[in-house]
Amino acid sequence: MKYRTIGGDPATRREVSVLALGTMLFGTATDERTSFAILDRYVEAGGTFVDTSDNYAFWADGGQGGQSEELLGRWRRSRGVGAEIVVATKLGARPLAPGTSYTDNPEGLSAKVIRESSERSRERLGMEKLDLLYAHIDDHTVPQRETVEGFAALVAEGTVGLLGVSNQAVWRVERARAIAAAAGLPGYEVLQYQHSHLRPRSDVPSDLFPDGNLGTAGPELMSYLRAEPGLTLVAYSPLLKGAYTNPDRPLPPDYDHPGTPARLAVLREVARETGATLNQVVLAWQLGGELPVVPLVGASSVAQLEETLAAVDLELTPDQRARLDAVH
């Protein structure tokens, strides 16, 4: 395994493995025995960065989520896991009532929700301090200053370490960080967005962005990250839920454009040259780029995890990387 530092503040920065493990379906679609086996193998391989959310996976039973955090809490207690494993969780998108969703009835990002939801997450996870806490989605009904101050209060009290943000327009992220900086408060340092080698169209509406998809790491976000080297990008769905290699998992409609076949062709060329899988090439491309990315990978079996772990040691040549970067 390889490691990198996340967070710019010396008081809160953490060293984590370059490959993060997503646990969204642990405790629901992935049963406890399998989930524990995947977590154990990840740690055995040197993995130290585990990701969850307070609303995972509400859609599995029409409830409000919490199953993933609860399973991680049981795993941590049974294995005696402590501060050596960095656990990230999120709040803001938990449905307020069973049968609803984050699109029509989210908990939001008020100061009250931030405090109460973080306390529930700490209880489910069995942690006195959350290593990394994200604002999962945006909340336009609450002043950003209230949200910023709500998160900062938890850091000041010692119940949260690093702060992160996910699925928000770049201008909203920058505004929140500017509010925090002006007030001398901790701000978002880790950004979690969907990012892969294939690029979706940005003009296709989504649940969170009816005017176009702003939840992926497009050119604006990548430019922002280059200008702010203290920020870290954690890329969720880097393997597009298996669409690179599983014929039963077609690409989403927003990937249906002329750039996709060209980028797929180069990926296949590099995979043949290296003897690696398409998934491993995608991950190696993210890990070794000019702007390093922390891929957040899921797994429903130990075998799937083994494939992704092998990507850490895959070294692409400068020519291969240049071809993967340049194709449009």
Side-chain angles (χ1 to χ4, degrees), residues 194 198 200-201 240-241 243 249-257 260:
Q194 195 279 317
L198 295 183
R201 288 173 50 179
L240 301 178
K241 301 179 180 179
R249 291 287 184 94
L251 288 167
D254 48 339
Y255 289 84
D256 185 11
H257 60 80
T260 294

Side-chain angles (χ1 to χ4, degrees), residues 256-293:
D256 185 11
H257 60 80
T260 294
R263 290 180 80 79
L264 274 175
V266 174
L267 272 176
R268 290 174 178 137
E269 286 177 8
V270 174
R272 286 194 296 270
E273 293 165 7
T274 59
T277 67
L278 290 179
N279 288 340
Q280 290 167 343
V281 173
V282 170
L283 296 175
W285 172 76
Q286 288 189 332
L287 288 167
E290 175 191 356
L291 185 65
V293 173

Side-chain angles (χ1 to χ4, degrees), residues 70-81 123-127:
E70 289 168 354
L71 182 139
L72 282 174
R74 293 192 294 273
W75 174 74
R76 291 182 74 257
R77 286 187 291 271
S78 70
R79 304 303 194 257
V81 170
E123 182 178 349
R124 284 190 288 265
L125 289 164
M127 302 176 69

Side-chain angles (χ1 to χ4, degrees), residues 6-9 12-14 49 86-91 114 118 129-136 146-156 159-166 173 176-177 180-181 184-192 230-232 234:
I6 59 173
D9 187 338
T12 56
R13 66 179 52 161
R14 297 293 301 272
F49 195 10
V86 174
V87 177
T89 193
K90 314 175 194 73
L91 58 79
I114 290 169
S118 65
K129 180 177 182 178
L130 300 173
D131 300 310
L132 168 58
L133 181 62
Y134 290 97
H136 200 169
E146 178 180 341
T147 298
V148 167
E149 292 175 348
F151 278 113
L154 302 182
V155 176
T159 56
V160 170
L162 286 165
L163 298 176
V165 62
S166 180
V173 174
R177 294 184 69 243
L185 299 173
Y188 302 135
E189 296 188 77
V190 184
L191 280 57
Q192 186 176 133
L231 300 179
T232 299
V234 173

Side-chain angles (χ1 to χ4, degrees), residues 17-24 26 42 48-53 56 86-90 132 134 136 166-167 190-196 232-241 282-283 286-287 293-299 305 308:
S17 54
V18 295
L19 201 66
L21 178 64
T23 64
M24 182 169 66
F26 287 10
Y42 174 71
T48 64
F49 195 10
V50 178
D51 184 274
T52 185
S53 174
Y56 293 162
V86 174
V87 177
T89 193
K90 314 175 194 73
L132 168 58
Y134 290 97
H136 200 169
S166 180
N167 301 314
V190 184
L191 280 57
Q192 186 176 133
Y193 286 77
Q194 195 279 317
H195 179 55
S196 188
T232 299
L233 173 61
V234 173
Y236 72 79
S237 296
L239 304 180
L240 301 178
K241 301 179 180 179
V282 170
L283 296 175
Q286 288 189 332
L287 288 167
V293 173
V294 178
L296 174 57
V297 296
L305 177 65
T308 57

